[in-house]
Amino acid sequence: MRITHNVKLLLFFVFISLLLIAVSAGESKCECSSEEEKGNKAGARKYKIAAIPSVLVAGVIGVLFPLLGNFFPSLKPETNFFFVTKAFAAGVILATGFMHVLPEGYEKLTSACLKGAAWEFPFTGFIAMVAAILTLSVDSFATSYFHRLHNKTSTKIGDGEEQIGGGGGGGGDELGLHVHAHGHAHGIVGVDSGESEVQLHRNRVVAQVLEVGIIVHSVVIGISLGASQDPDTAKALFAALMFHQCFEGLGLGGCIAQGKFNCMSITIMSIFFSVTTPIGIAVGMGISNSYDEFSQTALIVQGVLNAASAGILIYMSLVDFLAADFMHPKMQSNTGLRIMAHISLLVGAGIMSLLAKWA
């Protein structure tokens, strides 16, 4: 079966992320490395092995939950429960960007192991800002493209109806008037359906861009767990990653549900999200003996990827999740729903903020 352009794009980001981080395994060690961080490798290994299937299952549960709308009507988009669930997921993704990914980027790109005056520049904030702007550009240009596409289609349909209604004499004029009016009625429906079509395409763009941001972060955090040699660190990361994947999957699944992808696309996007972190863990385990997290290449690659991922996640959560949903007419006209959504948002952000202590 033909692999779509979107799948190729996701594959590209996954493999580039893995390749760049794996290259850092061959770097010579920096004097910032701590010789006492050898830990009990066998003790850490059992947590890493257990994490691979556990994180995989947690990711599958999270991403599939919002996609069960065909079986459970309350999970369908536009329902109150879906709005509250999506607010929780938005809080999770917002806290992931601010509390998990962005601080890691700052930590890597301000490390004492990076020598030179150039690293005094706040690259983390700059890269996150550029990533957010690029995400806005993708969002804007994609939406504009689909608007123009719809307008061209509507114009062609309108011209065709005018020609049908442009018949001969009196009876023809009467018939033409009827067809013309009928055509305008269809035009109104066409505008509404066209707007919903444009919104549908935009939802799909949002889901794909969000998945790219999550995948980049998942590769980095998976390798961090796989390369860890300390049992206590591995144990804490193992527990935190299960909740992390489940909650992030909840947000991504909500976007996929709103995009109304076909079955094959849903399967591919869900699999990509679910397997990325376990693959990162496996890669981290494979390079753990030669990987030096304090090497300049490792610090730069992880810092840049984390900063870019943070910019994407923060933009998506604020603009495409919170602003879009909290300004939605359904939310604005229902005070109870608005209060529940705010509570859900705070709970989601609070839980992920607490998890930042361990992962």
Side-chain angles (χ1 to χ4, degrees), residues 86-166:
K86 201 175 172 193
F88 177 86
V92 167
I93 293 173
L94 184 63
T96 299
F98 274 119
M99 300 297 296
H100 293 248
V101 193
L102 197 60
E104 286 180 19
Y106 273 114
E107 181 185 347
K108 302 299 181 185
L109 294 181
T110 57
S111 171
C113 290
L114 295 177
K115 306 297 181 183
W119 296 106
E120 295 176 5
F121 183 80
F123 279 106
T124 307
F126 176 75
I127 294 169
M129 177 188 69
V130 170
I133 292 173
L134 290 176
T135 306
L136 169 65
S137 299
V138 171
D139 203 352
S140 173
F141 281 112
T143 304
S144 175
Y145 168 76
F146 290 119
H147 267 295
R148 290 199 306 271
L149 196 64
H150 163 64
N151 289 337
K152 287 180 181 178
T153 305
S154 298
T155 302
K156 288 179 181 178
I157 294 173
D159 290 342
E161 288 174 341
E162 291 289 343
Q163 290 174 6
I164 293 172

Side-chain angles (χ1 to χ4, degrees), residues 16-337:
I16 288 296
S17 301
L18 289 171
L19 178 63
L20 290 175
I21 295 178
V23 165
S24 66
E27 265 313 279
S28 57
K29 295 196 177 215
C30 167
E31 62 263 20
C32 298
S33 309
S34 176
E35 293 296 329
E36 61 188 30
E37 288 184 0
K38 296 190 179 182
N40 182 355
K41 292 185 179 181
R45 188 176 182 83
K46 67 180 182 182
Y47 290 116
K48 299 177 195 176
I49 294 173
I52 293 177
S54 301
V55 170
L56 177 64
V57 171
V60 169
I61 292 173
V63 76
L64 290 183
F65 180 75
L67 299 174
L68 298 176
N70 291 333
F71 305 98
F72 302 99
S74 61
L75 294 178
K76 287 184 177 180
E78 305 302 321
T79 62
N80 290 352
F81 182 77
F82 188 85
F83 272 97
V84 173
T85 302
K86 201 175 172 193
F88 177 86
V92 167
I93 293 173
L94 184 63
T96 299
F98 274 119
M99 300 297 296
H100 293 248
V101 193
L102 197 60
E104 286 180 19
Y106 273 114
E107 181 185 347
K108 302 299 181 185
L109 294 181
T110 57
S111 171
C113 290
L114 295 177
K115 306 297 181 183
W119 296 106
E120 295 176 5
F121 183 80
F123 279 106
T124 307
F126 176 75
I127 294 169
M129 177 188 69
V130 170
I133 292 173
L134 290 176
T135 306
L136 169 65
S137 299
V138 171
D139 203 352
S140 173
F141 281 112
T143 304
S144 175
Y145 168 76
F146 290 119
H147 267 295
R148 290 199 306 271
L149 196 64
H150 163 64
N151 289 337
K152 287 180 181 178
T153 305
S154 298
T155 302
K156 288 179 181 178
I157 294 173
D159 290 342
E161 288 174 341
E162 291 289 343
Q163 290 174 6
I164 293 172
D173 288 341
E174 187 178 339
L175 178 62
L177 181 62
H178 171 73
V179 174
H180 185 69
H182 187 63
H184 272 296
H186 272 297
I188 294 170
V189 176
V191 169
D192 290 339
S193 63
E195 289 297 324
S196 63
E197 186 72 15
V198 170
Q199 185 59 42
L200 178 64
H201 284 295
R202 186 173 182 274
N203 287 339
R204 290 178 178 177
V205 172
V206 167
Q208 290 157 3
V209 174
L210 178 62
E211 178 147 21
V212 169
I214 290 175
I215 280 177
V216 171
H217 170 54
S218 296
V219 170
V220 174
I221 197 169
I223 289 179
S224 298
L225 172 56
S228 174
Q229 302 293 353
D230 180 34
D232 293 333
T233 301
K235 183 179 180 180
L237 280 171
F238 170 29
L241 268 180
M242 286 183 61
F243 291 101
H244 194 277
Q245 283 296 99
C246 186
F247 292 150
E248 277 193 344
L250 197 64
L252 179 61
C255 280
I256 294 175
Q258 285 190 308
K260 297 180 181 177
F261 291 91
N262 59 42
C263 185
M264 179 57 68
S265 296
I266 290 175
T267 302
I268 291 173
M269 293 180 74
S270 300
I271 289 175
F272 260 102
F273 166 76
S274 302
V275 303
T276 304
T277 302
I279 288 174
I281 296 171
V283 171
M285 291 174 67
I287 64 174
S288 59
N289 291 328
S290 57
Y291 180 77
D292 177 22
E293 64 178 323
F294 295 102
S295 70
Q296 289 200 24
T297 303
L299 289 170
I300 293 171
V301 169
Q302 290 189 50
V304 169
L305 290 177
N306 276 322
S309 180
I312 294 172
L313 295 178
I314 291 170
Y315 171 88
M316 300 297 287
S317 60
L318 288 175
V319 177
D320 290 321
F321 277 38
L322 297 177
D325 285 356
F326 278 67
M327 298 301 168
H328 193 281
K330 184 181 180 70
M331 184 85 76
Q332 290 294 308
S333 62
N334 190 331
T335 304
L337 176 60

